[in-house]
């Protein structure tokens, strides 16, 4: 059974600081997704990582994937209040039979950025 | 309408009621999903439909009954629910493999907040 663990689950940080959220998973996969969820809102797709060593950046967020270590990171640079949200990683179960694999989600990291 | 829409956004029902949740996607996708999001639990996959055919039922109790009349619409019929079924129910869609896409980026609707009394 594929397990996906995020840490930390709660993160309170000051504006301007840097921090990293970690996503570890328990079985082979080279497809990993990061989502953002604001309170009462839907999940918004942030990054799609599809190979070992993949790195994607958007604004103050940068995501990377190390499939050998079964680890993805979401790095926050110079945090601002607008980044306050819950961030989820999701790992795709590799399905070699032709159809897309299901996603297994981590519990989410609730980020609060304070002035 | 764009993206994935869900109605109603909020629903309160008694344990003996029957209600339905509706999801519609405007993205031209052909795979649709129901998820349950409870406090302090990871997102739980409930059902998967590919090209209107159910391909996954993740050991969901029979009081939840999905229906997918076409690739754009997905319903979740609810009957005799329990208080522990109170949660946010999220619908998602993606492009199924074999359509030039080989990964499963899913796009989510806003969810229906369900409260069972």
């Amino acid at each position: 059974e594929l397990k996906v663990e995020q840490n930390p689950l709660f993160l309170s940080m000051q504006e301007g600081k840097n921090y990293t959220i970690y996503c570890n998973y328990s079985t082979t996969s080279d497809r990993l997704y990061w989502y953002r969820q604001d309170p009462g809102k839907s999940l918004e797709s942030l990054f799609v990582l599809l190979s070992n060593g993949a790195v994607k950046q958007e604004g103050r967020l940068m995501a990377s994937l190390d499939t050998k270590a079964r680890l993805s990171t979401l790095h926050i640079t110079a945090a601002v209040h607008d980044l306050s949200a819950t961030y989820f990683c999701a790992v795709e179960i590799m399905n070699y039979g032709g159809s897309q694999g299901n996603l297994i989600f981590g519990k989410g990291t609730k980020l609060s950025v304070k002035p | 309408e764009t993206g994935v829409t869900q109605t109603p956004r909020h629903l309160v029902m008694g344990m003996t009621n029957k209600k339905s949740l509706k999801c519609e996607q405007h993205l031209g996708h052909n795979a649709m999903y129901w998820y349950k999001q409870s406090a302090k639990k990871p997102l739980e996959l409930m059902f998967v439909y590919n090209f209107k055919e159910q391909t996954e039922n993740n050991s969901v109790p029979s009081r939840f009954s999905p229906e997918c009349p076409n690739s754009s619409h997905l319903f979740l019929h609810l009957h005799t629910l329990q208080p522990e079924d109170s949660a946010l129910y999220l619908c998602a869609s993606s492009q199924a493999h074999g359509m030039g896409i080989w990964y499963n980026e899913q796009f989510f609707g806003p969810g229906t907040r369900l409260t069972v009394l």
Side-chain angles (χ1 to χ4, degrees):
Chain A
E1 181 189 346
L2 173 59
K3 292 186 180 178
V4 180
E5 293 188 357
Q6 278 182 244
N7 69 83
L9 297 183
F10 297 93
L11 177 56
S12 179
M13 52 190 300
Q14 282 190 307
E15 280 191 329
K17 298 291 188 183
N18 304 332
Y19 209 83
T20 301
I21 298 171
Y22 297 88
C23 175
N24 291 272
Y25 56 99
S26 62
T27 194
T28 302
S29 177
D30 59 3
R31 295 176 200 162
L32 191 136
Y33 309 82
W34 283 96
Y35 287 87
R36 168 181 171 147
Q37 186 177 36
D38 291 291
K41 300 272 183 80
S42 183
L43 273 74
E44 173 192 355
S45 179
L46 290 176
F47 298 109
V48 177
L49 303 169
L50 299 175
S51 62
N52 185 40
V55 177
K56 295 274 184 80
Q57 182 161 6
E58 180 73 36
R60 301 173 188 273
L61 300 177
M62 184 173 72
S64 66
L65 177 60
D66 180 342
T67 59
K68 295 180 181 178
R70 298 177 184 172
L71 170 69
S72 180
T73 60
L74 180 66
H75 187 74
I76 303 156
T77 302
V80 293
H81 179 70
D82 285 352
L83 291 179
S84 297
T86 300
Y87 293 86
F88 294 90
C89 65
V91 179
E92 182 174 344
I93 298 175
M94 300 305 290
N95 182 349
Y96 301 100
S99 61
Q100 71 278 16
N102 292 331
L103 302 189
I104 305 299
F105 283 78
K107 289 187 175 182
T109 296
K110 186 171 183 179
L111 172 65
S112 175
V113 181
K114 301 183 186 304
Chain B
E1 294 278 15
T2 59
V4 182
T5 58
Q6 289 186 244
T7 55
R9 295 292 308 278
H10 301 272
L11 179 61
V12 179
M13 58 188 289
M15 292 168 62
T16 58
N17 293 157
K18 288 184 181 181
K19 296 286 184 183
S20 295
L21 310 185
K22 179 183 174 183
C23 174
E24 184 173 359
Q25 59 94 2
H26 308 268
L27 299 169
H29 291 159
N30 36 48
M32 296 188 78
Y33 311 81
W34 280 118
Y35 286 89
K36 176 182 179 182
Q37 187 177 33
S38 308
K40 301 181 182 177
K41 278 190 174 182
L43 228 62
E44 298 173 72
L45 178 64
M46 299 175 72
F47 301 104
V48 180
Y49 278 82
N50 280 290
F51 299 97
K52 303 186 299 177
E53 299 296 322
Q54 184 176 315
T55 55
E56 184 101 15
N57 176 340
N58 206 17
S59 303
V60 180
S62 60
R63 57 186 184 269
F64 294 91
S65 174
E67 179 190 0
C68 188
N70 55 61
S71 292
S72 299
H73 294 85
L74 186 64
F75 295 88
L76 188 63
H77 304 298
L78 315 171
H79 63 99
T80 59
L81 294 190
Q82 306 296 311
E84 60 264 29
D85 296 321
S86 298
L88 182 68
Y89 288 85
L90 291 163
C91 172
S93 71
S94 69
Q95 195 69 281
H97 281 192
M99 305 295 290
I101 297 289
W102 51 275
Y103 56 93
N104 194 9
E105 183 183 16
Q106 295 181 12
F107 295 83
F108 285 80
T112 295
R113 173 68 63 185
L114 174 66
T115 302
V116 181
L117 301 176

